[in-house]
Amino acid sequence: MMKNIIKLFSGFLFVAFAFTSCDNGNSSQSNGALSSSAAEKVYVAPGEHDEFYGFISGGFSGQLAVYGLPSGRLFKVIPVFSQDAEKAYGYNEETKPMLNTSHGFVPWDDSHHPDISQTNGELDGRWVFINGNNTPRIAKIDLTTFETTEIIEVPNSAGNHSSSFVTENTEYVVAGTRFSVPVPQKDMPINEYKGNFKGALSFISVDPEDGRMDIKFQIIMPGFNYDLSHPGRDKSHGWFFFSTYNTEEASSLLEVNASQNDKDFIAAVNWKKIEEYVNNGGGTTVPANYAHNVYDESTHMATSTMKKEVLTVNPLDVPGAIYLLPTPKSPHGCDVDPSGEYIVGSGKLSANLTIHSFTKMLAAIEGEKFSGDAYGIPIINFEDVLAGTVEQAGLGPLHTEFDGKGNAYTTFFISSEVVKWELETWEVIDRKDTYYSVGHLMIPGGNSRKPFGKYVLAMNKITKDRYLPTGPEVTQSAQLYDISGDKMELLLDFPTIGEPHYAAGCPADLLKANSKKLFKLEENKHPYAALTEADTKVVRDGKTVHIYMTTIRSHFAPDNIEGVKVGDKVYFHVTNLEQDYDVPHGISMIGANTSELLIMPGQTETFSWEPKQVGVWPFYCTDFCSALHQEMQGYVRVSPANSNIELSWSLGED
Ligand code: RUQ
Ligand code: CUA
């Protein structure tokens, strides 16, 4: 029976593609019925700035890209979980520790959900957080430098998917596990999953001053799949909601076996109650092994520390803290409206949307209207928590965002559309096609108490014929809609990096003024910095050679180095002496098994080089920095391993 339903849905999927493809396949004949004013609405004239920043996750690229909205222009790819040769992230000595984990150096991840820090439920523009799914990690990006400054690994977690969403005052960034696993990990038969595997929900505290992250506690839940999550806000501040699927606890052929139950759950977690419990000494500290990597802006260096324990909480030890809200058809998205009253569960195998009421939930708890329990966690009666249903809104609902004016917008993957509906009447008001198979959508501030309901950005899984073909791999795509009127209007398609999984947006004014222009040289505490040309030197320590080098338009100091030998390990520590905005220098060395450096004004970066061949080898500046950029070069003389040529270095002494 369930198999048939799945077949039916896959059937719909193909029908949907076939339909939309032939409808819009001929791009020379139709531009998707845009009104002529659409172009004006996204046109940002040369030299003008966009109204919003959009931070769009790179999905399997592991990065986070910064776009302007409404123009869709790409400004920067912020390297987060993956090495990036353009910026030397994960290649230079300073940032390699950022990618350290309990599994060693992991230079890639799958980044899904960015979320901007909040104060009193409103975006505050200090940081944006994003999750790494594959090797569970949470990263923090500083929005003054637009650089990743902290990554914390999440132990006892796997497929870190219901992450990384922040509470109303950024008390916590929360990370739920998608896959349940043995906790602690151990060698055991997979088919003993049921009842034995556990799902960890991690509450990572964020220091209000410096933003430092630390795992405050992990709730060790039954072995379901925790898919998405959202914080309560306003009246439901203090709670957190997690959608679950596979409450069947199947470990094989989930496409069938995890679709048996008519309803899975949204888990409602009273984190304030659990916080109080652990603050009073509750919970169990257990051994763990996870990396905490922090980038220090004054040393321009990251350090990685292995942490050895974590505080766990058994839900049964904190009665009244966790309840399960039955939610039909393997819910995916779990979204809370700006008032905190409504919790929207998107049963992805359903045509309807289920909306729970926070007020009714509290009353049901009060009146003990339970229909049973799962591993001792009370299940609230479905009817007693249900606020309403949006009937037959589309096929395959995934995610919902809010405009702050009483409307909600839900994506439907199978029917490829965004559907606008009204809170409380649960009436569908409008629907617009997406091209194709939309996943998430984003309204700037849509995760906060104060959304900026002017645009919605749809992020699509499939692009097909929307752009010029580029072989079997075509770009993924985002689409921008104007939602300021009653009807949505499609304004723009634009290509994205990796998979545009989810995004966070905010008004440009929130970040613009705070954006850092350069690093002050006098504040540079890098241990290998040379802060003036007089400080430059080359030092040998056995087979290791440290070059303290500077760069300024338009030369390196020193630019000629002799006395390096085959078999040495040479570190180029390069300080950019510039103190002007937007004057980076780069450097690379022939044969180096790493990337170039891209050094910002006032910054020091290091790359290593192991010369393998005798000769005189050049290095040069890789970033076009001045009219004399091509003159920025130098040589290293490499002598045989047994040579007795002394180290020497020079600049301007031919
Ligand atoms: S999930 S497409 Cu990775 Cu955000 Cu729903
Ligand atoms: Cu410095 Cu080009």
Side-chain angles (χ1 to χ4, degrees):
M1 167 62 180
M2 187 47 69
K3 249 184 187 159
N4 287 337
I5 290 180
I6 289 169
K7 284 219 179 88
L8 185 69
F9 271 87
S10 340
F12 273 123
L13 185 69
F14 283 112
V15 170
F17 282 150
F19 181 75
T20 43
S21 287
C22 56
D23 206 22
N24 292 278
N26 189 344
S27 52
S28 62
Q29 160 220 328
S30 152
N31 63 2
L34 290 187
S35 73
S36 60
S37 67
E40 281 165 34
K41 287 184 179 168
V42 299
Y43 184 68
V44 178
E48 302 274 296
H49 288 172
D50 280 278
E51 188 181 350
F52 293 95
Y53 280 101
F55 296 90
I56 307 183
S57 76
F60 48 73
S61 86
Q63 317 295 48
L64 180 66
V66 188
Y67 293 81
L69 299 176
S71 72
R73 297 180 297 185
L74 173 64
F75 301 144
K76 181 173 184 174
V77 177
I78 302 171
V80 184
F81 296 113
S82 299
Q83 281 178 301
D84 180 353
E86 179 193 333
K87 300 179 179 67
Y89 181 83
Y91 286 99
N92 64 25
E93 298 302 313
E94 286 77 7
T95 56
K96 275 183 195 166
M98 292 300 282
L99 302 179
N100 189 42
T101 73
S102 63
H103 305 269
F105 183 73
V106 178
W108 172 86
D109 218 303
D110 183 17
S111 61
H112 277 207
H113 307 121
D115 205 16
I116 296 171
S117 55
Q118 298 183 14
T119 302
N120 295 324
E122 296 184 15
L123 301 181
D124 63 22
R126 289 182 293 169
W127 306 291
V128 54
F129 299 88
I130 191 166
N131 58 325
N133 272 305
N134 184 57
T135 304
R137 289 175 274 181
I138 299 291
K140 185 183 78 194
I141 290 116
D142 182 324
L143 288 178
T144 65
T145 57
F146 287 63
E147 279 173 13
T148 306
T149 53
E150 192 172 357
I151 295 182
I152 192 162
E153 191 179 358
V154 187
N156 298 323
S157 184
N160 172 37
H161 192 259
S162 37
S163 321
S164 52
F165 300 103
V166 299
T167 55
E168 226 174 63
N169 295 296
T170 321
E171 295 95 337
Y172 295 101
V173 49
V174 175
T177 193
R178 175 170 155 209
F179 307 119
S180 282
V181 290
V183 175
Q185 274 291 4
K186 61 176 176 197
D187 176 17
M188 66 175 280
I190 298 168
N191 66 12
E192 290 173 17
Y193 174 136
K194 195 165 185 161
N196 292 315
F197 284 26
K198 299 287 177 210
L201 308 178
S202 306
F203 284 70
I204 300 165
S205 58
V206 180
D207 186 286
E209 294 307 314
D210 61 11
R212 181 70 71 115
M213 296 190 287
D214 191 17
I215 301 178
K216 174 99 172 176
F217 56 87
Q218 293 191 308
I219 307 169
I220 306 300
M221 294 284 284
F224 310 149
N225 287 35
Y226 296 85
D227 206 11
L228 264 302
S229 66
H230 264 101
R233 57 180 66 93
D234 204 341
K235 66 164 72 163
S236 53
H237 175 53
W239 289 76
F240 221 98
F241 303 93
F242 297 83
S243 60
T244 70
Y245 67 104
N246 193 24
T247 52
E248 297 85 351
E249 297 180 72
S251 56
S252 179
L253 201 62
L254 265 64
E255 63 171 318
V256 174
N257 295 330
S259 306
Q260 298 301 316
N261 292 346
D262 185 48
K263 294 188 180 67
D264 296 280
F265 303 118
I266 285 177
V269 174
N270 185 336
W271 59 260
K272 282 230 161 133
K273 196 161 198 151
I274 296 176
E275 181 185 62
E276 195 184 297
Y277 168 76
V278 304
N279 284 346
N280 289 324
T284 311
T285 300
V286 300
N289 190 32
Y290 58 102
H292 184 206
N293 311 328
V294 180
Y295 183 84
D296 179 330
E297 200 178 292
S298 65
T299 60
H300 301 283
M301 261 188 181
T303 49
S304 178
T305 313
M306 294 309 294
K307 297 224 169 183
K308 296 296 180 191
E309 52 188 31
V310 70
L311 182 64
T312 58
V313 174
N314 177 344
L316 301 187
D317 291 342
V318 199
I322 304 180
Y323 298 91
L324 300 172
L325 322 181
T327 305
K329 300 286 173 207
S330 301
H332 180 63
C334 175
D335 298 287
V336 181
D337 86 303
S339 74
E341 170 63 11
Y342 299 113
I343 304 123
V344 181
S346 297
K348 56 186 184 280
L349 300 180
S350 171
N352 298 342
L353 289 171
T354 302
I355 299 99
H356 297 302
S357 154
F358 179 70
T359 309
K360 288 181 81 173
M361 182 188 91
L362 292 184
I365 292 169
E366 185 74 33
E368 300 192 359
K369 293 185 174 154
F370 303 134
S371 61
D373 70 274
Y375 296 101
I377 301 173
I379 302 171
I380 298 179
N381 260 336
F382 179 60
E383 290 72 23
D384 287 312
V385 71
L386 185 70
T389 306
V390 183
E391 300 282 347
Q392 301 293 324
L395 287 175
L398 290 185
H399 298 283
T400 301
E401 296 250 322
F402 306 89
D403 64 4
K405 301 174 216 159
N407 302 305
Y409 300 75
T410 301
T411 53
F412 289 82
F413 176 80
I414 297 173
S415 50
S416 275
E417 57 189 339
V418 176
V419 173
K420 176 181 180 181
W421 52 276
E422 193 175 39
L423 289 161
E424 295 179 345
T425 66
W426 322 122
E427 296 290 336
V428 170
I429 299 173
D430 190 23
R431 57 178 71 239
K432 279 282 175 301
D433 285 340
T434 59
Y435 306 93
Y436 306 95
S437 297
V438 60
H440 279 269
L441 75 178
M442 180 277 283
I443 292 173
N447 262 351
S448 72
R449 272 203 223 177
K450 190 182 158 198
F452 300 86
K454 187 169 179 184
Y455 302 108
V456 67
L457 185 73
M459 286 153 273
N460 304 329
K461 305 296 184 192
I462 292 175
T463 315
K464 295 276 184 194
D465 51 12
R466 299 298 282 184
Y467 304 105
L468 287 175
T470 50
E473 204 227 339
V474 291
T475 181
Q476 300 205 18
S477 181
Q479 295 189 294
L480 189 75
Y481 298 80
D482 180 344
I483 55 167
S484 57
D486 288 345
K487 296 282 175 194
M488 294 180 272
E489 185 189 1
L490 175 60
L491 300 179
L492 182 71
D493 280 16
F494 61 92
T496 61
I497 60 152
E499 183 201 1
H501 196 93
Y502 183 46
C506 72
D509 289 342
L510 191 62
L511 306 185
K512 239 164 118 169
N514 301 329
S515 192
K516 192 156 253 182
K517 295 212 154 45
L518 49 82
F519 299 103
K520 291 197 179 118
L521 259 186
E522 67 263 26
E523 291 170 6
N524 183 326
K525 301 273 183 315
H526 192 295
Y528 292 96
L531 299 181
T532 68
E533 287 188 4
D535 300 326
T536 60
K537 59 187 174 184
V538 183
V539 178
R540 177 177 284 286
D541 174 13
K543 282 184 160 308
T544 303
V545 175
H546 291 282
I547 303 174
Y548 296 68
M549 184 179 271
T550 61
T551 177
I552 194 164
R553 282 162 292 180
S554 294
H555 59 266
F556 293 101
D559 66 358
N560 282 320
I561 297 164
E562 301 199 358
V564 169
K565 298 174 204 172
V566 169
D568 282 346
K569 179 148 192 173
V570 182
Y571 290 99
F572 286 74
H573 307 285
V574 187
T575 304
N576 181 351
L577 299 181
E578 304 281 355
Q579 291 287 270
D580 278 341
Y581 183 34
D582 197 20
V583 191
H585 292 283
I587 183 170
S588 71
M589 181 78 218
I590 188 170
N593 302 126
T594 183
S595 75
E596 58 137 20
L597 301 179
L598 184 66
I599 314 154
M600 296 304 127
Q603 195 174 29
T604 305
E605 289 191 21
T606 304
F607 76 95
S608 66
W609 177 54
E610 294 175 48
K612 295 178 185 73
Q613 298 173 36
V614 165
V616 178
W617 303 104
F619 58 90
Y620 69 96
C621 176
T622 48
D623 188 79
F624 207 107
C625 51
S626 75
L628 295 170
H629 158 77
Q630 287 298 81
E631 280 68 17
M632 285 192 77
Q633 63 168 60
Y635 288 104
V636 178
R637 175 181 171 186
V638 178
S639 305
N642 59 4
S643 137
N644 50 19
I645 294 180
E646 286 295 309
L647 272 183
S648 65
W649 59 95
S650 63
L651 171 71
E653 297 154 20
D654 268 339

